[in-house]
């Protein structure tokens, strides 16, 4: 095929895809495609390599074959690949990625709930740049809304449901620069409670208590406000432990749970310390119990945030463990809902540079290449080859030093950093497409090659939102 012919074919194909997408979005959802409820699961940093390694890990933990295993959502009938770039970068951060999924519009890395006309860190540029979130649209229609996250609920992904800001860093007023304060910008925690009550979330469960409490109450707020007390004064229930969450009375319709000053503990650490904090699955179950009291329906977003947090510090086993926990939360949601009226989508905001180098079927995914014709047991430096490694991150050898021999390390230790090729204090996100799974009314909208904003449109259409 000549270059000219190829160029014409490429443009024709792009035009056909665009036309099909516009037509699909313009056609109203039929009754069969209409959902009463939507549950969106976001595995932060959950790229395809993470999914593959997690399914192997999950099976191997119970003595089964990993390669043929499935995570709970991998049995969903609808699957698409989603492009994840932001308005200003080939590789998105969590703020821009989640905002595209929750507003249908791409924005700059670091920004939340605004379009691409905002200027990063510029408070004044927010005026005229805000866009409504799916949660706000759902509340206007009378649906209940909620968010669950193992990060602080003022962190980028959960904040994408309710915050409109040019900086994801402004989680409490202590984080606001003087010029933002002078311009009247509100911090993210304050936005969650200071907005119109009709648009406020009904359920918020996660970490991040420090952004809601004043300094004298072990928080970080400078304005002296105790936002948890204000939540209680407005009629909402507030809990701080897993035991208290389990004991929340039936009939509770507004619930705030803050189980850590910042991000919550990873599962391994929570179990080892016996900390009284809920698992992602327990928070998901409670959120559904509360939200499902609304007869008109609900929208819930659940984030497995610690997948990303573990990847950033080169802890592959911890990332896989958190991915398995997300799979359990999805399974719990499936068991609690009716597939005829609830659309469930599982996706990611971006990927990470995790690589699976090989290994025999019976080799631990956490271990080393056993060695054969295709996968030599040792690299050219004479040292063992890890099955899992990263493109970048703090797992790299110190600058100027040779990499350690993985054969001399305890690769099964969850605190053992996996080798990274490029030394960085925090591993970089990567820009490849991520997998998105869907089941329930409207799930057929998830297919082929999509963009993050198209995932928003699938949910908006299923809920018949404006």
């Amino acid at each position: 095929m000549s270059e000219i012919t190829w160029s014409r074919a490429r443009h024709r194909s792009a035009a056909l895809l665009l036309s099909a997408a516009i037509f699909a979005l313009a056609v109203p959802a039929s009754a069969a495609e209409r959902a009463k409820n939507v549950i969106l699961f976001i595995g932060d940093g959950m790229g395809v390599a993470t999914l593959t390694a997690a399914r192997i890990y999950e099976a191997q933990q119970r003595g089964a074959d990993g390669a043929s295993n499935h995570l709970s959502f991998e049995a969903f009938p609808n699957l698409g690949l989603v492009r994840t770039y932001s308005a200003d970068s080939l590789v998105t951060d969590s703020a821009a990625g989640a905002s595209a999924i929750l507003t249908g519009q791409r924005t700059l890395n670091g920004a939340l709930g605004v379009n691409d006309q905002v200027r990063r860190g510029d408070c004044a540029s927010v005026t005229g740049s805000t866009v409504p979130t799916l949660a706000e649209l759902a509340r206007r229609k009378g649906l209940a809304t909620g968010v669950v996250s193992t990060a602080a609920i003022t962190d980028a992904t959960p904040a994408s449901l309710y915050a409109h800001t040019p900086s994801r860093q402004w989680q409490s007023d202590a984080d606001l620069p003087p010029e933002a304060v002078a311009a009247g910008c509100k911090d993210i925690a304050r936005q969650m409670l200071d907005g119109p009550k009709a648009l406020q979330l009904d359920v918020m469960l996660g970490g991040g208590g420090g952004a809601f409490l004043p300094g004298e109450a072990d928080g970080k707020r400078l304005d002296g406000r105790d936002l948890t007390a204000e939540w209680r004064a407005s009629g909402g229930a507030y809990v701080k432990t897993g035991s208290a969450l389990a004991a929340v009375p039936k009939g509770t319709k507004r619930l705030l749970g803050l189980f850590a000053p910042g991000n919550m503990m990873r599962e391994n650490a929570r179990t080892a310390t016996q900390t009284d904090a809920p698992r992602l699955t327990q928070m998901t179950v409670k959120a559904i119990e509360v939200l499902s009291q609304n007869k008109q329906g609900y929208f819930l977003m659940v984030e497995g945030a610690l997948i990303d947090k573990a990847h950033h510090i080169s802890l592959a086993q911890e990332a896989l463990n958190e991915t398995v926990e997300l799979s359990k939360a999805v399974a719990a949601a499936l068991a609690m809902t009716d597939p005829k009226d609830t659309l469930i989508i599982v996706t990611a905001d971006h990927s990470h540079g995790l690589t699976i180098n090989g290994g025999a079927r019976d080799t631990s995914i956490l271990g080393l290449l056993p060695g054969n014709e295709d996968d030599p047991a040792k690299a050219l430096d004479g040292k063992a080859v890890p099955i899992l490694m990263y493109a970048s991150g703090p797992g790299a050898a110190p600058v100027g030093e040779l990499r350690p021999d993985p054969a001399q390390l305890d690769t099964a230790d969850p605190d053992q950093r996996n080798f990274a090729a490029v030394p960085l204090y925090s591993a970089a996100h990567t820009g490849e497409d991520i997998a998105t799974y869907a089941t329930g009314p409207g799930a057929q909208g998830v297919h082929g090659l999509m963009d993050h904003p198209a995932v928003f449109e699938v949910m908006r259409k299923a809920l018949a939102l404006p």
Side-chain angles (χ1 to χ4, degrees):
M1 182 182 290
S2 71
E3 188 65 31
I4 293 176
T5 303
W6 162 246
S7 178
R8 288 174 178 168
R10 182 182 60 189
H11 288 300
R12 188 179 301 118
S13 176
L16 286 171
L17 285 171
L18 180 60
S19 298
I22 292 173
F23 177 77
L25 296 179
V27 177
S30 67
E33 297 170 327
R34 195 72 57 80
K36 178 183 178 182
N37 316 305
V38 170
I39 305 176
L40 171 68
F41 287 87
I42 295 181
D44 199 319
M46 191 174 71
V48 172
T50 300
L51 290 169
T52 303
R55 84 164 73 102
I56 295 170
Y57 172 79
E58 192 276 333
Q60 289 182 342
Q61 290 297 102
R62 50 186 173 83
D65 174 56
S68 60
N69 188 40
H70 289 86
L71 298 172
S72 63
F73 49 86
E74 291 182 314
F76 285 8
N78 293 86
L79 169 66
L81 281 178
V82 176
R83 299 189 289 193
T84 62
Y85 60 92
S86 69
D88 63 340
S89 177
L90 292 174
V91 180
T92 189
D93 79 327
S94 292
S99 284
I101 298 170
L102 271 303
T103 70
Q105 295 194 41
R106 282 195 167 88
T107 188
L108 311 183
N109 280 356
L112 290 163
V114 289
N115 61 29
D116 61 2
Q117 298 306 299
V118 75
R119 294 182 296 276
R120 189 178 304 165
D122 183 344
C123 181
S125 70
V126 174
T127 302
S129 298
T130 61
V131 288
T133 73
L134 191 76
E136 291 167 342
L137 294 175
R139 286 291 288 145
R140 287 172 183 160
K141 191 184 175 184
L143 277 65
T145 57
V147 60
V148 168
S149 177
T150 45
I153 58 173
T154 50
D155 199 18
T157 302
S160 68
L161 282 179
Y162 59 87
H164 304 275
T165 176
S167 175
R168 60 178 288 184
Q169 306 300 329
W170 299 351
Q171 296 190 34
S172 82
D173 63 336
D175 304 316
L176 290 172
E179 56 271 22
V181 175
C185 262
K186 294 182 180 180
D187 61 88
I188 291 173
R190 188 177 160 198
Q191 286 190 46
M192 193 174 75
L193 294 180
D194 273 12
K197 190 169 182 180
L199 298 183
Q200 288 179 8
L201 298 171
D202 299 284
V203 175
M204 293 159 283
L205 302 175
F212 293 81
L213 299 169
E216 57 269 25
D218 296 325
K220 54 188 291 189
R221 298 199 64 82
L222 301 179
D223 57 10
R225 292 176 64 176
D226 181 343
L227 299 183
T228 65
E230 294 178 25
W231 172 263
R232 293 194 300 272
S234 69
Y238 172 57
V239 294
K240 298 187 290 184
T241 66
S243 299
L245 180 67
V248 168
K250 289 186 177 180
T252 299
K253 294 186 177 179
R254 300 184 71 231
L255 176 61
L256 172 64
L258 301 174
F259 307 106
N263 298 323
M264 295 180 67
M265 285 184 175
R266 295 190 297 274
E267 271 303 294
N268 280 330
R270 186 191 66 81
T271 302
T273 58
Q274 297 185 333
T275 299
D276 187 7
R279 293 165 45 222
L280 181 67
T281 300
Q282 294 166 325
M283 292 191 289
T284 301
V285 168
K286 183 59 68 175
I288 293 173
E289 288 176 353
V290 174
L291 296 175
S292 60
Q293 296 176 91
N294 188 313
K295 301 302 181 183
Q296 295 185 64
Y298 61 85
F299 169 71
L300 170 65
M301 187 190 80
V302 179
E303 182 200 20
L306 303 182
I307 302 169
D308 172 77
K309 309 300 184 189
H311 276 322
H312 272 300
I313 54 177
S314 300
L315 294 180
Q317 182 181 351
E318 292 283 58
L320 303 187
N321 204 49
E322 295 298 325
T323 304
V324 171
E325 179 62 25
L326 178 71
S327 176
K328 292 176 181 178
V330 175
L334 280 168
M336 295 180 69
T337 55
D338 187 340
K340 295 179 181 178
D341 66 16
T342 302
L343 169 64
I344 299 179
I345 294 178
V346 181
T347 189
D349 48 358
H350 57 78
S351 186
H352 261 284
L354 183 70
T355 298
I356 305 173
N357 288 322
R361 286 283 286 265
D362 59 354
T363 306
S364 168
I365 189 68
L366 305 175
L368 309 173
L369 296 190
N372 56 45
E373 290 182 350
D374 300 316
D375 300 319
K378 292 186 177 181
L380 296 179
D381 60 2
K383 297 173 182 177
V385 180
I387 291 177
L388 297 179
M389 60 174 282
Y390 288 97
S392 66
V399 177
E401 296 184 20
L402 299 176
R403 74 178 180 107
D405 189 345
Q408 305 302 316
L409 304 175
D410 182 4
T411 58
D413 180 357
D415 293 324
Q416 176 62 57
R417 295 189 196 274
N418 294 74
F419 175 71
V422 177
L424 292 177
Y425 289 118
S426 177
H429 297 171
T430 52
E432 68 265 25
D433 304 339
I434 53 89
T436 297
Y437 306 80
T439 188
Q444 64 274 16
V446 174
H447 63 87
L449 181 62
M450 307 173 65
D451 280 0
H452 265 155
V455 179
F456 167 86
E457 291 296 342
V458 170
M459 296 186 290
R460 183 196 62 78
K461 187 176 178 182
L463 289 173
L465 302 176

